[in-house]
Amino acid sequence: MKILFATPECAPYVKTGGLGDVSAALPATLAALGHDVHLLMPAYQDMKVEGEIGAGVDLPPYAQWPAAQLVPVKLDSGVTLLLLACPQLYQRPGGPYVDAGGRDYDDNAMRFGMLARVAALLGTVHSPLPDWIADVVHANDWPCGLAPLYLAHARVLAPHERTASSVITIHNLAFQGVFPMAAGDVLGVPYYWRGMDGVEFWGQLSMLKAGLQFADAITTVSPSYAREIQTQAHGVGFDGILRARSDRLRGILNGIDTTMWDPAQDPLLPAHFSRGDLKGKAACKAALQARVGLPANKGAMLLAMVSRLTPQKGVDLVLGALPRILASGAQLVILGSGEPGLQQALRDAAQKHPKQVSVTLAFDESLAHLIEAGADAFLMPSRFEPCGLNQMYSQAYGTPPIVAPVGGLLDSVTDASADAARGTGFVMTGCDAAGLDDALTRALRAWREPARWRRIQANGMDRHFGWEDSARQYLAVYEQAALVAAGSPLPATGISPP
């Protein structure tokens, strides 16, 4: 199968969250299963790419859109990386979505509309690549949300021509790509698809809604999140659409790169360990305490958090639980960055309690690995969590996670209090202060029982969170999408031009 994976970010080149990790691991796994995978992403400023770089291919001109090229790079994984080279749109300081000051780029509609249009073009007979047309275009999140619409429009205009099926994956429904409806003129959105049954969302144009309305199949990153987003509480205004499309919606739990995240061979660790020999974990704990400036106290339970510092991640709940943590004699290490108010509150806590609290307001890959290996337990009290990866890393590293009962956390952590034989962590009773306090109490009690704690660690390290099973589930979705696309030239909504 020829698969085009369209994404705004991919580790290690550009990463702001879990999407970057998924974009690296899932295409590589699909390629390892024997499929022809091309990954399309913008060529951002200062990207360093290693591989066999081919000659750029000029893209055909379209309306007032800037000139651009596709630059193919053959990666060691077997994936062909297609860099969308358009200096006018992508060669600038800052991140993929925001400028150096943290503000959204004014032309994000054009920047990601172009990404989606090129993705769709690669799924038609007008593909700029010689002898390569995608069988399926897999669009990811709102920046690629218009790709299913463009493919649907291509089917309407030329129903007898070969056109790829489309899949969109929701990594976080809260980010919806909303722009003024007038952007539809530049983006080439047909006027008859600009109503509430098309791209319109409260009078504006939503790129994510376009994807949900016009894709042949919809996936999200965990089964529980797939159920949650069909409710008013978690649907962020899109629950009605998702309920109406429920026959096309499937939750597939993300995986992790088990070669990069393996405590038995992780090059970023000072000592290695495994399920059968945990001695190295104690050495990692001592190294972590030394690195972040905490006393080397073996008798203190070391709690950790690596996260964006936002209310969604429950950082305020951790701050509220701090007196409980301090009173127990535990230590707390936090790595991340985010909202200024939360950053300052954490900084103040570290200054006030330097022997028990350490905060690093940045992102450091090596420190993140050392935290997973050296901590005793990992905190993820998120108010919502589409999937989450750190709870999987933690279990692989013998660090039982303390998690909220939402999304992928619920799908990947077995509560040790409810299931003593198979428990891998501690699931909160609710996404609130009382739920976190209860889970902390249970975790502290279990940690003081070494035999019980080792059993919980072993259970977590026995779990397999690799991508192979999830990749096969995606292949089944691609096949389903192909059947839907073959059944009718009209878009999934059934909206046809007058």
Side-chain angles (χ1 to χ4, degrees), residues 107-457:
D107 58 350
N108 269 346
M110 173 66 82
R111 295 173 74 241
F112 295 112
M114 184 170 193
L115 176 64
R117 178 166 286 282
V118 173
L121 193 65
L122 287 161
T124 72
V125 295
H126 305 290
S127 171
L129 295 183
D131 304 318
W132 199 90
I133 301 173
D135 297 314
V136 59
V137 172
H138 186 163
N140 287 272
D141 265 353
W142 72 263
C144 303
L146 286 176
L149 179 148
Y150 291 142
L151 284 166
H153 197 222
R155 278 183 225 159
V156 169
L157 295 178
H160 302 297
E161 289 184 354
R162 178 182 172 186
T163 304
S165 57
S166 62
V167 175
I168 187 165
T169 295
I170 306 163
H171 296 266
N172 190 333
L173 191 66
F175 300 104
Q176 301 173 336
V178 176
F179 300 96
M181 185 57 74
D185 296 338
V186 176
L187 296 171
V189 176
Y191 71 90
Y192 41 80
W193 288 347
R194 296 189 196 183
M196 64 179 297
D197 291 327
V199 303
E200 188 267 336
F201 186 61
W202 294 102
Q204 296 185 287
L205 182 154
S206 167
M207 289 186 174
L208 181 60
K209 185 178 179 184
L212 301 181
Q213 292 280 49
F214 292 93
D216 298 310
I218 304 167
T219 71
T220 191
V221 290
S222 71
S224 287
Y225 192 58
R227 292 189 294 271
E228 290 169 358
I229 58 178
Q230 295 180 64
T231 68
Q232 189 173 6
H234 294 280
V236 204
F238 284 169
D239 51 293
I241 299 168
L242 291 164
R243 286 194 298 274
R245 303 275 176 274
S246 61
D247 61 329
R248 302 176 190 267
L249 172 62
R250 181 170 177 180
I252 301 174
L253 188 67
N254 280 345
I256 62 173
D257 185 332
T258 53
T259 59
M260 181 180 296
W261 291 94
D262 179 0
Q265 59 182 8
D266 190 333
L268 299 177
L269 301 185
H272 295 135
F273 57 93
S274 64
R275 181 193 185 282
D277 183 2
L278 287 169
K279 292 190 183 104
K281 188 165 177 65
C284 289
K285 179 175 180 177
L288 174 58
Q289 289 168 322
R291 181 164 172 180
V292 300
L294 293 174
N297 185 352
K298 294 181 182 179
M301 186 180 190
L302 182 53
L303 301 168
M305 189 175 197
V306 179
S307 176
R308 284 186 292 111
L309 303 179
T310 65
Q312 182 226 318
K313 298 294 186 179
V315 179
D316 56 315
L317 297 179
V318 174
L319 284 165
L322 192 56
R324 171 82 175 85
I325 293 170
L326 297 173
S328 73
Q331 296 175 331
L332 174 64
V333 57
I334 292 180
L335 171 65
S337 61
E339 296 190 5
L342 291 173
Q343 290 192 160
Q344 187 59 51
L346 291 169
R347 189 184 292 115
D348 292 344
Q351 291 174 349
K352 188 175 181 180
H353 306 283
K355 294 184 178 181
Q356 287 183 268
V357 180
S358 172
V359 176
T360 302
L361 298 175
F363 182 75
D364 184 315
E365 187 75 20
S366 66
L367 180 54
H369 280 245
L370 184 57
I371 286 173
E372 290 288 7
D376 291 309
F378 196 91
L379 296 171
M380 292 186 73
S382 306
R383 287 183 167 85
F384 68 91
E385 192 66 62
C387 178
L389 298 177
N390 280 101
Q391 81 280 10
M392 301 182 197
Y393 301 152
S394 298
Q395 290 171 84
Y397 281 59
T399 306
I402 298 169
V403 302
V406 294
L409 305 180
L410 199 57
D411 292 332
S412 58
V413 179
T414 302
D415 185 73
S417 302
D419 190 338
R422 297 182 299 173
T424 63
F426 301 87
V427 180
M428 295 159 54
T429 54
C431 303
D432 52 23
L436 178 56
D437 185 70
D438 172 71
L440 280 169
T441 298
R442 290 184 283 125
L444 284 162
R445 187 185 303 126
W447 184 76
R448 295 189 181 106
E449 301 175 33
R452 183 185 176 198
W453 193 257
R454 282 194 295 274
R455 183 168 65 249
I456 297 169
Q457 289 177 299

